Each structure stands twice: as structure tokens, then as C-alpha cells.
Amino acid sequence: MTDLAQRRTALYRLYGPDGGLLYVGITHDLEQRWEDHRYWKEWWHLVHRSAIEWFPSRASALSVERAVVATESPRFDKTHRLGRGWRDHPPVTFTDPAEPHVKRALRAAIEGERFPHGRALPCRRDLATEFTTSIPTVTRVLDELVKEGFLESTTRRSYWRRGERPAPRKPKPCQGYFDADCR
């Protein structure tokens, strides 16, 4: 296996709908990195365009990333702007302007019985896709609806209408000798 520091590395820029630079990053694996952003970055749904440059090593990509952050000031980047102690700073905050709309639409969908009674709501990822927003935004909306007493949830982040907890899943039937339930 090749040394990661010597692997070919991508520098990527992510742009918003107005053409403004949202974020700059480097990675060896764009697909995995963007999947991580899709899950964790509240601003991911704002990305309308990307630009990718490949470099022969991580060090060469990192030096260009530092220069880009210093000169182009991406909206959601703090790694190089704040220096070594960047993790000690509060996160760059972003409140999705669509959050009130998402809350109203989700509440209407629940009240309109779009989701079956006694069943868990779709997963946060599916709801984020449906409402064209990020998973953290959907999570915040769902948590607000729990605080308001409209929904209930478990520690595993399953949500359902208040007073309609889904029935526990039925155990799977025995699959064979190696299944512990069969012995």
C-alpha cells in the first residue's frame, strides 16, 4: 500500500448558487469525503458547483489549500484561517433559512397522515433529501417537534407521532444451525 502522504490528492472547491466559495478541502477519496460532507455539513445542500484539481502528493495539495483559504476566504472553512488551535474555536454556524419551511412542511405531512400511524418516520437522510436540506437541519427540526410534544423519539434517533410508538420489530425466523436462536 502506498504512503498516504505520497498519494495523489484532490483539492476541491465548493461553490454556492451565487458563485461564492463555500468550502475548500483536500482528499484522496472524493466520493467518501463528499458523502461525509453530505451527512455532517449543514450547508451541503447549498453546493451548486465544484471544481477539482489533482496534485501529486498531500503536501502539495495542502500548501495550495492554505493559499486558497487565505486569498479566497471560503464561507465555511476555519482550518487554516484560525491556525493550529482551530478545533478549540466554536464551529462556523449556519442556520438554514429554509428551516421554518421544513418544520411547517414536515408538521403538515405528519398531520396530513402521509406517514402511517404507529410507524416510525422515514430516516433523517430521506427526509433531508425530500425537503432539499441537510441532515443536521432535519435533526434540529425533529428535535424541536419532540420538545413541543408533537413527536417522540428514542436515543437511536427514531421519530414517531406522540403516543404512537411503533411496535417492536418481530425477530427474524431461524436461518439455520449457525443462528443462535436455532440451537
Side-chain angles (χ1 to χ4, degrees), residues 3 7 27 30 76 81 92 95 98 101 115 133 138 153-154 159:
D3 179 24
R7 280 183 60 191
T27 185
L30 279 171
F76 297 111
R81 193 165 22 98
V92 176
T95 302
H101 165 73
F115 304 119
T133 190
V138 167
S153 74
T154 65
Y159 296 87

Side-chain angles (χ1 to χ4, degrees), residues 169-183:
R169 292 184 181 163
K170 295 178 183 175
K172 292 181 181 179
C174 219
Q175 300 295 317
Y177 175 79
F178 293 104
D179 191 337
D181 296 334
C182 292
R183 291 186 249 148

Side-chain angles (χ1 to χ4, degrees), residues 65-108:
E65 180 188 26
R66 284 186 181 126
V68 168
V69 169
T71 60
E72 298 180 31
S73 302
R75 182 174 173 192
F76 297 111
D77 190 293
K78 65 179 182 177
T79 307
H80 302 296
R81 193 165 22 98
L82 299 175
R84 285 196 104 162
W86 71 270
R87 291 182 198 275
D88 299 331
H89 291 269
V92 176
T93 57
F94 170 73
T95 302
D96 186 349
E99 192 169 314
H101 165 73
V102 171
K103 186 175 180 180
R104 282 191 304 275
L106 184 56
R107 184 185 277 270

Side-chain angles (χ1 to χ4, degrees), residues 14-29:
L14 303 174
Y15 297 92
D18 62 354
L21 183 62
L22 299 175
Y23 189 82
V24 176
I26 62 173
T27 185
H28 301 294
D29 185 345

